[in-house]
Amino acid sequence: MSKQPQPTISPLKNFFAGGFGGVCLVFAGHPLDTIKVRLQTQPKPKPGESLLYAGTIDCFKKTLAKEGVKGLYKGMAAPIIGVTPMFAVCFFGFGLGKKLQQKHPGDILTYPQLFVAGMLSGVFTTAIMAPGERIKCLLQIQASTGHIKYNGPMDCVKQLYRESGIRGIYKGTALTLMRDLPASGMYFMTYEWLKNLLTPAGKSHNELSVPSILFAGGMAGIFNWAVAIPADVLKSRFQTAPEGKYPNGFRDVLRELVREEGIGSLYKGFNAVMLRAFPANAACFLGFEFAMKFLNWLAPNL
């Protein structure tokens, strides 16, 4: 690990810089997120019929042809509203997790400690993430099924609340936790590891070049999703299923998926996820580092 003394960790600065990183992430990654959800939830073809989308490129072409560029940015209001505070809270949780494990300011944390700090950020984000993800998935699939039930994010919240109360809005929270705890740990640990690896001897992390930050951020996104995809597939299925279809929660979803489509189906949408993960998270960490530099210049003692 790099032996440079660490600057004092400020969870508050992490909060604001993380929010900015989140906005950068949504703009860079939303089109491929739409494709990912459509591929994961497309209906099973009837005998003799072919699948609605043959794969990532086919889904991209059909969406563009049918709905234009706007189609790729469908449902983006919900993630912008949800992702900005979510990434703010996520980076705040990571900053807090690091600070809580330091005996003295400036202590350098081990990789397992960074993993634990990352997992804490996952706990923080799930509270915001679970409802936002549920609404996003429902809005994204209704466009491809052609059955318009919700007029937008707020209408979706109202209808879900009317139908099944707060539980309806938070459906899939346990799966979101199962996905986000290990994935968040992996995310931040990988980023810090690559930052250490790419920082020349005797130099500080603040002197990392833009391509290095983009590479470390993009790879962190890929490692994060490599861990998260199986739980994400189950969560997308569970959150978009009709009420009562899976009485035992994720166990039922897992059983049905593996029985009908084999174990490989847990990695559905893999190409779309990985294609999105690199640029979206590269943009996120670049936004975060840029905002951190600005905040350190603006308020050095905060």
Side-chain angles (χ1 to χ4, degrees):
M1 266 188 128
S2 143
K3 287 288 167 275
Q4 278 287 329
Q6 304 286 74
T8 309
I9 294 160
S10 164
L12 193 64
K13 280 182 189 163
N14 267 30
F15 180 84
F16 291 111
F20 183 68
V23 173
C24 297
L25 173 128
V26 175
F27 273 102
H30 194 77
L32 277 152
D33 189 63
T34 301
I35 287 166
K36 178 200 76 161
V37 171
R38 287 186 177 185
L39 286 172
Q40 285 178 344
T41 57
Q42 63 179 328
K44 237 172 96 186
K46 294 184 177 74
E49 284 184 7
S50 59
L51 276 167
L52 185 57
Y53 307 115
T56 303
I57 305 295
D58 185 49
C59 184
F60 185 75
K61 279 191 199 145
K62 282 182 178 161
T63 303
L64 260 185
K66 205 171 142 193
E67 302 164 57
V69 175
K70 244 179 86 178
L72 293 169
Y73 279 95
K74 271 245 166 77
M76 194 171 81
I80 283 275
I81 295 160
V83 162
T84 309
M86 189 195 82
F87 268 77
V89 166
C90 174
F91 278 86
F92 171 80
F94 180 57
L96 188 65
K98 286 198 293 187
K99 211 174 171 65
L100 290 173
Q101 294 183 85
Q102 283 182 324
K103 290 194 171 66
H104 311 285
D107 276 0
I108 293 169
L109 297 177
T110 63
Y111 290 122
Q113 285 176 313
L114 290 169
F115 189 87
V116 169
M119 281 174 76
L120 182 68
S121 82
V123 175
F124 273 79
T125 49
T126 297
I128 302 174
M129 187 103 168
E133 286 270 313
R134 171 126 158 92
I135 292 153
K136 175 180 72 69
C137 285
L138 289 171
L139 290 174
Q140 281 173 326
I141 65 153
Q142 73 173 5
S144 58
T145 55
H147 172 64
I148 303 295
K149 186 181 175 188
Y150 309 109
N151 294 324
M154 288 319 291
D155 181 50
C156 186
V157 172
K158 278 187 208 138
Q159 288 196 42
L160 286 173
Y161 187 73
R162 242 199 332 268
E163 284 164 21
S164 37
I166 201 83
R167 277 189 64 178
I169 297 168
Y170 272 90
K171 184 179 176 183
T173 301
L175 275 168
T176 308
L177 270 175
M178 267 174 63
R179 182 192 71 177
D180 286 352
L181 289 191
S184 298
M186 194 56 134
Y187 186 54
F188 285 108
M189 186 181 77
T190 305
Y191 181 64
E192 296 283 337
W193 169 61
L194 285 169
K195 256 179 35 171
N196 287 330
L197 211 62
L198 296 167
T199 304
K203 292 259 197 286
S204 98
H205 287 163
N206 294 336
E207 297 167 72
L208 262 186
S209 65
V210 169
S212 293
I213 292 169
L214 288 172
F215 179 73
M219 289 309 290
I222 282 183
F223 275 86
N224 165 73
W225 276 104
V227 172
I229 285 182
D232 188 57
V233 172
L234 295 177
K235 185 190 69 62
S236 290
R237 275 288 176 108
F238 183 65
Q239 288 187 321
T240 55
E243 207 49 57
K245 185 177 177 187
Y246 301 115
N248 298 321
F250 79 91
R251 288 191 300 278
D252 286 354
V253 192
L254 181 63
R255 240 179 260 131
E256 182 191 86
L257 251 185
V258 173
R259 188 177 63 237
E260 287 184 5
E261 301 174 44
I263 201 87
S265 60
L266 286 173
Y267 276 88
K268 249 199 189 146
F270 183 81
N271 291 349
V273 169
M274 289 310 174
L275 271 171
R276 167 185 176 259
F278 195 93
N281 290 287
C284 172
F285 276 107
L286 187 65
F288 170 76
E289 295 289 356
F290 173 78
M292 267 314 238
K293 275 192 173 145
F294 176 69
L295 291 169
N296 286 331
W297 169 78
L298 194 67
N301 301 319
L302 190 64

